[in-house]
Amino acid sequence: MKFKITLLSILVSFSMFSQNITAKLIDKKTKQPIPYANIKTGKYAGVISNDEGYFTIASNNDTKTVTISCMGYENKILSIKDIKLLNLSIELEEALNQLDEVYISNKAPNVDSIIARVKAKLAANYNYDLNQYNIFHRTTDHVDFKSLEFEIDKASHVKKKQLEGVNNSLTALANQVKNSNMVQFADFKGKVYTLNKDSIKLEVEKATELLDYKNDFSIDNIQEKMQKIILTYLDTTKTYKLKTGLFKIEDSLALNDDEFKEDDKNEHEVSYLNSQTKSLLKRSQFYKNSFLNKILNTDLYDYTFEDVGYNNGELTYVISFSPRKGKAKYTGKIYVADDTYAVTRTDYTYYKNRHGDKINLRLILGVKYNSNVSKGTILFEKDSSNIYHPKYIKRTTGSYFYVSRPLKFIENSDNRYKVAFDFKIEGNNSTKEELLITKHNKLTFLDFQAEREAEKTPLIKLGKYEKTIWDDEGILEPSTEMKALTNK
């Protein structure tokens, strides 16, 4: 009986798995992958191709058709059967500006006039109030430690041989951290209900975390490992005075493994996920002092007409922008629909040596921080009311960090034992956030009021990527790096 149940479970799992197909988009001429193409599976539903050109859709109906569109390429309509016959590799042909309507001009359109019309049409083209979005969100975190050194220079009550053992343990930990490839992926899927740009409610259907547990070296994790090593010789019944005040090591911390276990809470605070989602949505909105509104500020940026073509069936202008003044930080391209003057896509990155927050107190406090990466892509899609909604938002941020500081622990006792400790850490971190909107509907105010946001949601922790964890379409296909991650 057990065998029959197990076999049935396998067959059911296989059936669910087989209802999806994963295909890749490539340029017919160059054979390079095509990212961020729109794969429409319904009038206002669908996914996009990821950074590597892959996408996943349901395949339980061979006659179902999908429409594939991407700026610079000819649209393609294929059935599920057609995609299978192509061995899941779809070539798109470059559009040669043979447009469905004649576009004739002896000079490039006036770019300042286009930008002015974009700004004049913002209220008509975008509406952030009372919308429901089906979403998929992914965060990818990397940390690359360039230098990591911690050593006990002096411990007045510890024998030299014991001190050498402790320093050897700290050196081994430092080498392990430096040689690690720290990467973490967090996904969640659900629905967003917007009242306005400042107020949203989030319903989470499923949340996962994929982490290489062998190389789990967050700053907190490193500190815990260091603390555990140091606790092998500190008297945990004492308190120690630091320059910042009194630091007490509780008896319960004394080499009690339970205190140093990884946080095993298999749940997420929904308010945190709400904040992440709202921040990304705001990145795609036009309001006073918003990110996109600043890009359209002619006092801050210069614009150059680059090209014209079709995107999702709309004649589209391609306009590049770059800083006019020092306080403008970005360069990139905006794509503007000819008939509505709506921005349908924005690509941006820091201009040359521009950067975000920067702190350099290396000589005084041993601290340096520089936000040196900020780039992204924002795609929009038009609904039946000619209102544009965000389809895909990607934001990548990164920074350089450096901390070097000696610490001295002085025991609060008659002996006044001292421990001198040197700590230096240097490296780079990056975070890529992606928000895919697979469907959107209008809400009423009563609909919004009726929704109740939970405080917490279950979190599924994974040691390797499991394709079947997401059993239907509506997600971003994982990257090669994500698929390769496995804890053996």
Side-chain angles (χ1 to χ4, degrees):
M1 184 65 180
K2 288 183 179 180
F3 173 77
K4 290 182 179 179
I5 293 175
T6 303
L7 180 59
L8 178 61
S9 300
I10 292 172
L11 291 175
V12 170
S13 297
F14 179 79
S15 174
M16 290 174 61
F17 177 80
S18 65
Q19 288 178 353
N20 287 350
I21 59 169
T22 299
K24 185 177 184 179
L25 295 179
I26 59 174
D27 184 294
K28 185 175 182 178
K29 184 178 180 180
T30 67
K31 307 303 180 185
Q32 293 300 307
I34 301 174
Y36 317 133
N38 192 8
I39 296 90
K40 297 184 74 169
T41 57
K43 194 169 184 180
Y44 302 110
V47 297
I48 67 163
S49 55
N50 71 1
D51 289 334
E52 299 167 344
Y54 289 100
F55 65 90
T56 295
I57 57 174
S59 64
N60 52 343
N61 181 358
D62 274 1
T63 62
K64 178 181 178 181
T65 60
V66 299
T67 301
I68 303 171
S69 59
C70 185
M71 184 68 189
Y73 293 92
E74 295 182 2
N75 284 9
K76 203 156 194 172
I77 300 175
L78 296 170
S79 68
I80 299 299
K81 183 178 180 180
D82 293 334
I83 296 174
K84 292 177 180 177
L85 290 174
L86 290 170
N87 294 320
L88 308 179
S89 180
I90 304 168
E91 295 181 342
L92 297 187
E93 294 188 54
E94 184 180 356
L96 299 177
N97 276 345
Q98 295 176 345
L99 305 177
D100 293 336
E101 65 185 83
V102 179
Y103 182 81
I104 301 174
S105 177
N106 59 4
K107 62 179 180 179
N110 184 287
V111 69
D112 292 329
S113 175
I114 294 174
I115 296 298
R117 293 186 184 187
V118 168
K119 294 165 72 173
K121 294 263 191 180
L122 289 178
N125 285 327
Y126 306 93
N127 184 351
Y128 316 122
D129 301 343
L130 296 172
N131 293 301
Q132 176 192 317
Y133 296 129
N134 290 21
I135 68 164
F136 180 81
H137 181 282
R138 173 171 292 149
T139 302
T140 305
D141 288 310
H142 287 93
V143 179
D144 181 15
F145 292 100
K146 299 296 184 184
S147 176
L148 187 66
E149 300 173 12
F150 25 80
E151 181 179 20
I152 296 175
D153 293 331
K154 184 188 297 184
S156 55
H157 63 301
V158 180
K159 294 181 179 179
K160 183 178 180 180
K161 187 174 182 179
Q162 184 182 1
L163 188 60
E164 288 177 355
V166 174
N167 279 327
N168 288 339
S169 296
L170 291 172
T171 300
L173 174 61
N175 290 333
Q176 184 184 3
V177 172
K178 284 189 291 184
N179 294 329
S180 69
N181 175 30
M182 184 184 163
V183 59
Q184 180 174 340
F185 305 92
D187 293 347
F188 73 85
K189 185 177 181 180
K191 293 183 176 67
V192 173
Y193 305 89
T194 74
L195 177 63
N196 49 47
K197 66 180 179 64
D198 295 313
S199 181
I200 71 171
K201 293 179 183 178
L202 179 63
E203 175 188 336
V204 181
E205 297 172 2
K206 186 184 294 184
T208 65
E209 180 183 81
L210 174 60
L211 172 67
D212 184 353
Y213 294 105
K214 302 187 301 295
N215 294 317
D216 179 14
F217 293 121
S218 63
I219 299 299
D220 289 341
N221 185 278
I222 293 172
Q223 290 176 340
E224 287 182 354
K225 291 180 184 292
M226 290 166 49
Q227 186 179 10
K228 185 173 181 179
I229 292 172
I230 295 171
L231 281 173
T232 60
Y233 62 89
L234 284 182
D235 186 346
T236 61
T237 66
K238 306 294 185 181
T239 60
Y240 295 84
K241 185 175 292 185
L242 296 175
K243 291 182 180 179
T244 55
L246 290 176
F247 177 74
K248 185 176 182 181
I249 300 179
E250 304 285 352
D251 292 344
S252 60
L253 287 179
L255 298 180
N256 184 341
D257 289 341
D258 291 339
E259 297 295 333
F260 292 94
K261 285 183 178 178
E262 180 188 357
D263 185 0
D264 287 327
K265 289 183 178 179
N266 293 319
E267 57 187 12
H268 260 318
E269 297 286 344
V270 175
S271 60
Y272 172 71
L273 302 181
N274 180 306
S275 177
Q276 282 186 309
T277 304
K278 183 164 63 176
S279 176
L280 281 178
L281 285 174
K282 280 194 166 187
R283 200 73 170 174
S284 70
Q285 295 171 353
F286 298 88
Y287 57 89
K288 186 177 180 180
N289 295 324
S290 71
F291 170 74
L292 286 180
N293 232 36
K294 290 178 181 178
I295 296 297
L296 296 176
N297 188 334
T298 52
D299 290 333
L300 297 177
Y301 288 94
D302 288 320
Y303 308 92
T304 304
F305 184 86
E306 295 281 348
D307 200 0
V308 63
Y310 266 106
N311 183 34
N312 288 330
E314 295 179 295
L315 184 66
T316 300
Y317 305 117
V318 183
I319 298 169
S320 63
F321 61 90
S322 57
R324 170 176 286 186
K325 293 186 176 180
K327 62 181 179 180
K329 297 180 179 180
Y330 293 93
T331 185
K333 293 181 179 180
I334 54 177
Y335 300 73
V336 179
D338 171 69
D339 58 341
T340 61
Y341 287 93
V343 174
T344 60
R345 173 172 174 167
T346 303
D347 300 317
Y348 65 91
T349 189
Y350 275 148
Y351 177 76
K352 293 184 178 178
N353 295 321
R354 307 287 166 93
H355 54 76
D357 295 335
K358 186 174 182 179
I359 300 173
N360 190 356
L361 300 174
R362 188 165 180 162
L363 297 178
I364 302 173
L365 299 176
V367 174
K368 186 175 181 180
Y369 170 86
N370 183 13
S371 175
N372 50 22
V373 176
S374 179
K375 58 184 179 180
T377 293
I378 305 168
L379 306 179
F380 295 90
E381 185 177 52
K382 185 168 63 174
D383 69 11
S384 59
S385 302
N386 291 326
I387 297 296
Y388 290 80
H389 299 270
K391 176 68 179 179
Y392 173 73
I393 307 166
K394 182 176 80 168
R395 175 174 61 185
T396 301
T397 55
S399 60
Y400 163 84
F401 58 88
Y402 173 92
V403 177
S404 178
R405 186 176 298 168
L407 297 175
K408 185 175 289 186
F409 296 82
I410 304 172
E411 183 181 304
N412 289 315
S413 68
D414 293 337
N415 294 320
R416 303 288 290 173
Y417 291 136
K418 298 179 181 179
V419 176
F421 178 72
D422 281 335
F423 173 85
K424 183 173 85 170
I425 185 169
E426 181 180 22
N428 296 283
N429 65 63
S430 69
T431 298
K432 179 171 70 173
E433 299 174 85
E434 298 174 274
L435 183 68
L436 172 65
I437 295 176
T438 57
K439 189 180 294 186
H440 49 76
N441 298 296
K442 287 302 294 180
L443 283 179
T444 67
F445 180 69
L446 293 178
D447 291 334
F448 182 83
Q449 280 190 314
E451 290 300 322
R452 294 289 181 266
E453 183 175 283
E455 291 186 7
K456 299 181 180 181
T457 188
L459 173 64
I460 303 172
K461 293 191 175 183
L462 304 172
K464 64 178 181 179
Y465 182 77
E466 299 177 14
K467 190 175 182 68
T468 54
I469 202 74
W470 302 102
D471 53 12
D472 58 4
E473 65 178 276
I475 70 164
L476 285 165
E477 181 64 16
S479 63
T480 301
E481 178 186 39
M482 192 173 181
K483 292 176 182 176
L485 182 57
T486 178
N487 291 283
K488 297 180 179 178

